[in-house]
């Protein structure tokens, strides 16, 4: 995010830059901290409103996968974000990871 951007404006801009889609956030689905790097990621479920998928400098391909398939495609620290977004938690999970694995 840019220093002067609010969270939702930054989210919308990043998604459009990386995917070509214009989205509306519908729920915060998790908060994740990379402990070694000190980076906090807020993950949102979004509804696509306009645009079409396209590759960018930060994305090279797109495809639909199940929650089980994502566990085979990504490290645990990233797969859990998709799995949490698909789950129906009462509150957004807050998790820590080391860049590869969930801690604690």
């Amino acid at each position: 995010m840019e220093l002067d951007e609010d969270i939702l404006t930054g989210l919308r801009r990043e998604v459009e830059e990386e995917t070509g889609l214009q989205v509306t956030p519908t729920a915060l689905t998790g908060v994740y901290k990379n402990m070694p790097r000190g980076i906090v990621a807020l993950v949102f479920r979004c509804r696509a409103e306009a645009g079409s998928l396209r590759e960018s400098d930060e994305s090279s391909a797109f495809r639909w996968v199940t929650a089980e398939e994502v566990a085979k495609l990504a490290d645990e620290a990233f797969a859990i974000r998709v799995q949490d977004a698909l789950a129906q938690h009462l509150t957004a999970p807050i998790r820590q990871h080391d860049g590869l694995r969930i801690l604690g």
Side-chain angles (χ1 to χ4, degrees):
M1 289 179 21
E2 304 298 331
L3 187 58
D4 62 342
E5 273 182 323
D6 65 79
I7 293 169
L8 296 180
T9 300
L11 165 72
R12 289 182 186 105
R13 180 187 54 75
E14 284 288 334
V15 170
E16 186 167 9
E17 285 177 5
E18 295 176 20
T19 68
L21 297 176
Q22 296 169 9
V23 299
T24 298
T26 60
L28 173 67
T29 60
V31 178
Y32 307 87
K33 182 175 182 187
N34 181 319
M35 298 302 285
R37 297 184 66 196
I39 297 170
V40 175
L42 305 176
V43 177
F44 292 82
R45 185 179 310 119
C46 297
R47 181 178 56 250
E49 302 288 356
S52 57
L53 283 174
R54 62 165 169 68
E55 296 176 2
S56 72
D57 291 342
E58 297 183 58
S59 59
S60 59
F62 301 96
R63 73 182 206 207
W64 294 106
V65 297
T66 65
E68 294 77 29
E69 290 170 323
V70 77
K72 296 175 188 171
L73 295 171
D75 293 324
E76 179 183 42
F78 293 93
I80 194 69
R81 297 173 190 202
V82 175
Q83 293 165 336
D84 285 344
L86 294 172
Q88 297 297 319
H89 298 286
L90 292 177
T91 60
I94 301 171
R95 303 184 192 275
Q96 296 73 235
H97 64 87
D98 64 6
L100 298 174
R101 305 260 181 260
I102 298 298
L103 303 173

